[in-house]
Amino acid sequence: MAEKRANDRFLILDGGMGTMLQRAGLGGGERPEVLSVTKPDKITAIHAAYLDAGAEVVYTNTFGANRLKLEGCGYTVAQVVRAAVENARAAADPRGGRVALDIGPLGELLEPAGTLRFEEAYDLFAKIVRAGAEGADLVVIETMTDLYEVKAALLAAKENCSLPVWVSMTFEESGRTFTGCSAEAMAATLEGLQADAVGINCSLGPVEILPIAQRLCEATSLPVFIKPNAGLPDPETSSYDITPEKFCAQMLPYFELGAFAVGGCCGTTPEYIRRLADAAAGRIPREREVKHRSVVCTPTLVQQIEGLTVVGERINPTGKKRFKQALLDGDMDYILTQALSQQEAGAQILDVNVGLPGVDEPAMMERVVKSIQTVCDLPLQLDSSNPEALERGLRVYNGKPIVNSVNGEQKVLDAVLPLCRKYGAAVVGLTLDEEGLPLKAEERLAVARRIVAACDAEGIPREDIYIDCLTLTASAQQKEVAETLRAVRMVKETLGVRTVLGVSNISFGLPNRELLNHSFLTMAAAAGLDLAIINPNIPSMMDAVRAADLLLCRAKKAKRYLEVYADAARPQPAAPAQEMRIEDAIYRGLKAEARSCAQALLARMGELALINEKLIPALDRVGADFETGRLFLPQLLQAAGAAQVAFDVVKQEILARGKPPVSKGRILVATVKGDIHDIGKNIVKVILENYGYEVTDLGKDVPPERIVAEVEKRGIRLVGLSALMTTTLPSMEETIRQLRKTRPFCKIFVGGAVLTPEYAKRIGADYYAKDAKQSVDIAKEVLG
Amino acid sequence: MRANLHFSLPLDRREICRYLSCPAEEADRLEGEIARAERELAERAAARCTFARFPLVWGEGDALTFGPQIPLEGGDIRRHLSGCSAVILLAVTLGSGVDELLRRAAALDLAYSVLLDAAASVAAEQAAALAERQAEAALCRAGEYHTGRFSPGYGDLPLELQRRVIPLLDAPRRIGLAVTNSLILTPRKSVTALIGVADHPVAGWLAGCDSCRLREKCEWRKRGMPCGGEKSK
């Protein structure tokens, strides 16, 4: 519908519903949606007033008609939504108007800011769509501030009805939403997810929205619609400050902007819409020129692929024992440190590969994607040959990702491209097929051509295609190195797509790999490489990236180069640690010193002796001084951090030598369902690890079922549960109840601000731990 | 009404130390990290507030309600609002950027994450104090007096009140502040509060330890430095 109407004239949308309810004396209640059932005539009259004023689309009175907001109102979602659609239809049918099923925010925040899961949000939205689609002409998702919530709503609408779906979000004057989403991130993500139109509504007036609307129009080829408030609210009265005349005058620039539909939001009434309709009459929406840019994004970071762009390769188990162990243990913390250290080093996109025998790859992909996006705003490249793993990752990814990878094999293209299209992902295509990897550049181009044709057929635009001409190992295929570079050039010039290479493979089996890697990277950059998949933690690789930026004049003013090297005095590597005993390094919380002491000691003594004779006595001294008030919490935690570093040295050594791990037993810790306070739990975890226990940390807001399943799977004998709120103690009790039922021999300790030893006993815990130190005593008692 | 708040620095070192359960003198030793926390918070916080005024209705016996007949339960709030005829309802948040900062720190460095959390709590308190002054300036008339802030969950005022306060202020739409099913405010570093308004001087009443749930195990109280004690009557 939007597409058909876009060219000939402006479409006029309605104005504020809340404002009209207030005028009708129906304001003030917390749940205006119920009025659709209790006062249907009044709601129909409001719609009719807008239609008579010239609106052609009316939004149903269902802004907050979701199960969360309607709880306890006496009506079901289906009742309220159906009534609202009928009210709107009653006004629209005789007047030739159209009805938009209105969907507003759920009112609770989604994970990770809140506790509402993406899947729960999807279900809540799907319920509204299923109740209201029949009878509506389109679905409009509006006043959204969280792109993740928009994705849940948009998928729910697309998968549960066949109506066009429009989405409008609400921005602050800063040009971002409350959750930091920019107009460009919104555009890239929603165009990918195939919204039918995008827009901006609420929060600001026409003047303040205009610059943001301009940015949105430049960033998307979708039709754009705008519904501003009647200016800004008055600080004292909360009423809006511009008249219908002024509103209309301020809306004039939108007719030149390339928007296709306009209306009003809070504070606007039929009078505003009448003037707007009059002003729009006879005007034709301007055609927009949209630049097709290669973009991937998260809500807060839009990565335009312009010049050499660094894809960090470290989230991948291939050849990495420590990473494999982390995947097998479900150790998210380790994976997150890999993500963050690559970001720190200059990665702009992170490749995520979690395929490993013995690991449920689809479930792990979903978990890792969700975990990384709670702490890191870099866009992700989902790397798997398993379509189910890709789909699980794509579904929960917040933004526009890349999928790595398809190749020229028809069955791979058939399985993966529809997923990329559905979820709006960019695509990496490897130039190999059923026949294997062709050696000649021309043959690789031919495979690339087939991949591009398949993408064209699927509707994936050229700017979203990244062809990987494949780096061959120089030790085995020395001559083909030049063919790879030639292929990069040909693919770019002939097909107008972007290119990508995994660089490190070039040096496999050769000495001084670092030299070959950064030399090849420079050559590939000169050939026109766009995405370089590298290890950004190696300084010479990032040096090569920044130098190529400058020499190839591919980044604006070589900004990245100057930022790093302008102050010629580069930070020197840290001075060698002073001679120090490891006990003192830990006591004083000195990480670098603790690391070098541990390395030196490992050469002289065994892992177990180091732990039992050095680390633990040092920690005992810290613990004792903490108890007597000679040390305080900050020092205790710094000491724990230093001990953790020393422990990592031991772990690395054990993995490198293939020895069995040093473990005094495994303990599971979690903050219970509904609770998101995790500082106490984090402290307990680190201190337990310091004492040689292996800790499975399930994080916060963990359902009892997940705790029970993990305890069963790993045969865990000691569980620590944390809750900080009186409101989440019932979850703790329920978790204990479920554990007792299936794992009667498992011991449970509990802690948290509102707990007391008596209460712990009452809910069936074995132990109450007042602090982290006590949890170690409990662990010693139970596990030895 | 809603407003963006200009984040106020420096953060109160003494308060940060109190949240970290260490003596105020420790602030000097922690200065480097506190300064880093201040810098990061100033960069990522987008402090916003919203407030509105409602008449207070003193009914029969213990009944006290405001706005659309929302009950205020517990002796502490009645004492706090004693003599008042209206309340200002206030909500303040530092925004979701701070939560992300905290999650990131927790993944990288436990000691710093604990300090950053304490600093963010102090920042939220300072933002609330600033919002309180803005609200009073906007909503108190000449010749009116007001009490200090009193929050749900404080003393014996039920935390369940959050579920009424948030929709009443339209806080999700106005400032991006919501409440979870378990009554936790999200974003995490946020404050809601009631301020009493009267036509004669009122002092308010800050709940002391008597009605506090944590009374028996509170470390601060044991050390003779209760959180609200020195201010209460």
Side-chain angles (χ1 to χ4, degrees), chain B residues 50-124:
Chain B
T50 182
F51 39 78
R53 177 175 168 144
F54 299 93
L56 204 54
V57 181
W58 296 86
E60 301 269 308
D62 283 349
L64 174 60
T65 63
F66 75 100
Q69 278 118 49
I70 296 177
L72 289 171
E73 290 160 8
D76 290 322
I77 187 67
R78 270 196 298 278
R79 252 170 286 180
H80 181 70
L81 296 178
S82 169
C84 296
S85 56
V87 284
I88 295 171
L89 206 55
L90 173 72
V92 186
T93 180
L94 296 186
S96 58
V98 170
D99 285 11
E100 197 199 317
L101 194 63
L102 289 167
R103 287 193 299 270
R104 205 181 156 96
L108 286 173
D109 182 342
L110 176 69
Y112 178 64
S113 78
V114 173
L115 181 133
L116 182 66
D117 193 275
S121 296
V122 174

Side-chain angles (χ1 to χ4, degrees), chain A residues 28 30 63 71 107-109 112-115 142-143 145 170-172 177-180 201-204 232-236 238 265-266 300 333 336-337 340-341 343-344 373-377 591 632-635 637-638 640 644 673-679 682-683 686-687 700 725-728 752-757 768 770, chain B residues 1-2 4 19-23 26 29-30 33 44 46 48 51-52 68 70 95-97 99-115 117-118 137-139 141 159-160 163-168 170-189 213-214 216-217 219 222:
Chain A
E30 287 167 37
F63 182 80
E71 201 175 300
E108 280 188 29
L109 304 192
T115 55
E142 60 143 326
T143 322
T145 57
T170 294
F171 293 84
E172 294 194 276
T177 69
F178 288 144
T179 59
N201 78 296
C202 204
S203 190
L204 302 169
L232 299 171
D234 178 276
E236 281 176 48
S238 286
C265 200
C266 302
T300 51
D333 280 357
L336 295 187
T337 57
L340 292 171
S341 71
Q343 180 171 31
E344 200 94 321
Q373 66 196 10
T374 65
V375 299
C376 177
D377 59 359
K591 288 183 179 170
F632 300 100
L633 183 66
Q635 289 116 310
L637 299 177
Q638 280 161 357
Q644 202 180 14
K673 184 171 168 56
D675 210 324
I676 48 179
H677 297 88
D678 60 354
I679 288 188
N682 293 345
I683 295 174
V686 169
I687 306 273
K700 52 195 172 188
M725 307 276 292
T726 48
T727 48
T728 54
V754 294
L755 274 166
T756 58
Y768 163 76
K770 122 175 133 65
Chain B
M1 159 66 192
R2 65 165 193 165
N4 294 331
Y19 275 98
L20 290 170
S21 311
C22 67
E26 287 291 301
R29 219 181 46 78
L30 298 170
E33 289 189 299
R44 296 302 305 277
R48 302 178 198 95
F51 39 78
I70 296 177
S96 58
D99 285 11
E100 197 199 317
L101 194 63
L102 289 167
R103 287 193 299 270
R104 205 181 156 96
L108 286 173
D109 182 342
L110 176 69
Y112 178 64
S113 78
V114 173
L115 181 133
D117 193 275
L139 301 179
R141 295 159 201 142
L159 202 53
E160 280 69 17
R163 230 196 281 285
R164 308 299 300 271
V165 166
I166 294 292
L168 189 62
D170 200 9
R173 174 137 64 158
R174 287 188 178 157
I175 60 170
L177 173 62
V179 58
T180 72
N181 200 29
S182 314
L183 307 176
I184 300 170
L185 293 177
T186 52
R188 292 276 305 285
K189 297 302 172 187
R213 237 176 242 286
L214 301 181
E216 292 310 320
K217 54 181 289 195
E219 293 292 323
K222 276 183 207 158

Side-chain angles (χ1 to χ4, degrees), chain A residues 37-66:
Chain A
V37 183
T38 56
K39 302 221 178 339
D41 296 346
K42 302 267 188 197
I43 302 297
T44 298
I46 292 172
H47 291 312
Y50 277 120
L51 291 160
D52 291 340
E56 294 159 273
V57 177
V58 289
Y59 287 16
T60 56
N61 179 33
T62 48
F63 182 80
N66 64 70

